[in-house]
Amino acid sequence: MKIDRLIGIITILLQNDKVTAPELAERFEVSRRTINRDIEDICKAGIPIVSLPGYGGGLCIEYGYKLDKTVFNKEQLQAIFCGLQGLDSISALSYVTTIAERLSSKNNHINVDNTIIIDFASHYKDSLTPKIEIIKTAISDKHIIEFDYYSSKGENRYSVEPYKVIFKWSSWYVFGYCLECKEFRLFKLNRLWNLNKLDTEFVVKDIPDSALQFDKFLNESNFVLQAVFDISEKFRIIEEYGIDSFKVMDNGKLYFEWAFANYDNMLHWVLSFGDKVTIISPKELINDIRSQAQNISKKYLGI
């Protein structure tokens, strides 16, 4: 809906010093002409948007302008601040405080609704926040980033043109073009360390639609697990895979069948259940678990 897009544009302009019309067009998946009409409508509503020409220019709300909160209804304001509180949980700055000030006048203050609390950071905030701030700056400045990356394939150092910071599948990622792999990739921030923003600028590439289908990174399901879990693990299976992911057997145990994209992830997940799970297939997984159990047993014999 157009009103949702207008609110979205205003919110983005309030969060950023400046943003270009092509960036807004890409963000809202509309034409540049549509964005230009939206900007005109916002200006007609009394919100002064300034166009800064030249290199490094863009659109911004006139400095010092106080936005009348009557532009939004109560539900819209609550939605905006709920989202901003989530951003605050992983930000070095308070978006809620800053934007509440921009939305308020001396005699008309806003009370932030705290009925919904979103915390994206959890206990990773101390390491997560600096990474996100560096990546956001690199995206804005169009500078390459470098970092060490740890995965099941080993340890590597990558140079990446960053395009987006993404929260998905309960984790934070940076999406960009990897100069070593020569392809667009997602990198999990908790596996990413020794991050540096380089002075090297990059020319923005067109991102193919296929690269933006992020679910494909988890949906290439090549390893099918069949297992029986004790009833005591029902809460975990529901929490992680949903209430329809298993069947209750006649003996009260849970039959579980699921396709995993990564063998190591499947192995580590199953091992986390200890003796509360019995593997049916694949046979390779049964052999690996048997081998690990024997190695663990040897370590503790005689202690």
Side-chain angles (χ1 to χ4, degrees), residues 153-219:
K153 297 179 181 179
E155 304 173 12
N156 295 283
R157 189 158 184 84
Y158 292 107
S159 300
V160 172
E161 299 174 356
Y163 285 84
K164 299 179 185 294
V165 177
I166 298 168
F167 182 80
K168 195 169 181 67
W169 312 301
S170 74
S171 297
W172 286 95
Y173 299 81
V174 57
F175 172 78
Y177 186 80
C178 177
L179 298 178
E180 283 74 26
C181 307
K182 305 299 181 185
E183 65 178 357
F184 287 98
R185 282 189 56 183
L186 279 179
F187 296 91
K188 197 171 188 176
L189 295 196
N190 284 342
R191 296 181 179 178
L192 181 161
W193 297 92
N194 299 321
L195 170 66
N196 292 309
K197 174 192 168 205
L198 306 183
D199 294 330
T200 309
E201 295 187 29
F202 65 88
V203 178
V204 175
K205 294 178 172 60
D206 291 329
I207 304 175
D209 291 339
S210 58
L212 295 172
Q213 304 303 313
F214 301 125
D215 285 336
K216 72 178 183 179
F217 290 98
L218 288 187
N219 288 342

Side-chain angles (χ1 to χ4, degrees), residues 235-268:
F235 76 98
R236 267 196 66 184
I237 296 175
I238 290 176
E239 177 182 341
E240 297 178 35
Y241 290 98
I243 199 165
D244 297 323
S245 62
F246 61 88
K247 295 180 180 177
V248 180
M249 303 170 65
D250 291 340
N251 60 5
K253 293 194 175 185
L254 312 175
Y255 174 78
F256 176 87
E257 183 173 332
W258 200 266
F260 287 76
N262 182 282
Y263 180 82
D264 287 337
N265 289 345
M266 177 176 65
L267 172 62
H268 295 154

Side-chain angles (χ1 to χ4, degrees), residues 40-244:
E40 291 179 5
D41 291 339
I42 293 172
C43 290
K44 290 177 183 177
I47 302 172
I49 297 179
V50 179
S51 177
L52 303 176
Y55 179 79
L59 302 169
C60 65
I61 292 180
E62 184 176 310
Y63 179 76
Y65 175 72
K66 297 289 187 181
L67 182 61
D68 185 352
K69 75 173 185 178
T70 58
V71 172
F72 307 104
N73 62 35
K74 181 180 178 181
E75 289 74 20
Q76 291 167 341
L77 282 172
Q78 288 177 353
I80 290 171
F81 282 110
C82 184
L84 293 175
Q85 285 173 322
L87 291 176
D88 277 359
S89 69
I90 46 86
S91 174
L93 302 173
S94 174
Y95 289 106
V96 170
T97 301
T98 302
I99 294 179
E101 291 175 353
R102 296 287 294 272
L103 286 167
S104 300
S105 62
K106 290 182 180 180
N107 301 316
N108 195 11
H109 295 284
I110 292 176
N111 294 319
V112 179
D113 189 332
N114 290 317
T115 55
I116 299 177
I117 298 175
I118 301 175
D119 187 349
F120 286 127
S122 186
H123 52 279
Y124 296 111
K125 182 173 182 178
D126 289 344
S127 61
L128 187 62
T129 298
K131 293 177 186 177
I132 290 178
E133 293 301 319
I134 291 173
I135 295 170
K136 282 172 55 182
T137 303
I139 292 172
S140 177
D141 296 342
K142 298 178 176 57
H143 279 209
I144 291 172
I145 57 174
E146 278 188 347
F147 50 82
D148 294 329
Y149 198 70
Y150 301 84
S151 69
S152 60
K153 297 179 181 179
E155 304 173 12
N156 295 283
R157 189 158 184 84
Y158 292 107
S159 300
V160 172
E161 299 174 356
Y163 285 84
K164 299 179 185 294
V165 177
I166 298 168
F167 182 80
K168 195 169 181 67
W169 312 301
S170 74
S171 297
W172 286 95
Y173 299 81
V174 57
F175 172 78
Y177 186 80
C178 177
L179 298 178
E180 283 74 26
C181 307
K182 305 299 181 185
E183 65 178 357
F184 287 98
R185 282 189 56 183
L186 279 179
F187 296 91
K188 197 171 188 176
L189 295 196
N190 284 342
R191 296 181 179 178
L192 181 161
W193 297 92
N194 299 321
L195 170 66
N196 292 309
K197 174 192 168 205
L198 306 183
D199 294 330
T200 309
E201 295 187 29
F202 65 88
V203 178
V204 175
K205 294 178 172 60
D206 291 329
I207 304 175
D209 291 339
S210 58
L212 295 172
Q213 304 303 313
F214 301 125
D215 285 336
K216 72 178 183 179
F217 290 98
L218 288 187
N219 288 342
E220 296 173 357
S221 304
N222 301 316
F223 305 97
V224 178
L225 169 68
Q226 291 178 305
V228 175
F229 289 84
D230 286 2
I231 191 66
S232 62
E233 306 308 302
K234 184 177 181 179
F235 76 98
R236 267 196 66 184
I237 296 175
I238 290 176
E239 177 182 341
E240 297 178 35
Y241 290 98
I243 199 165
D244 297 323

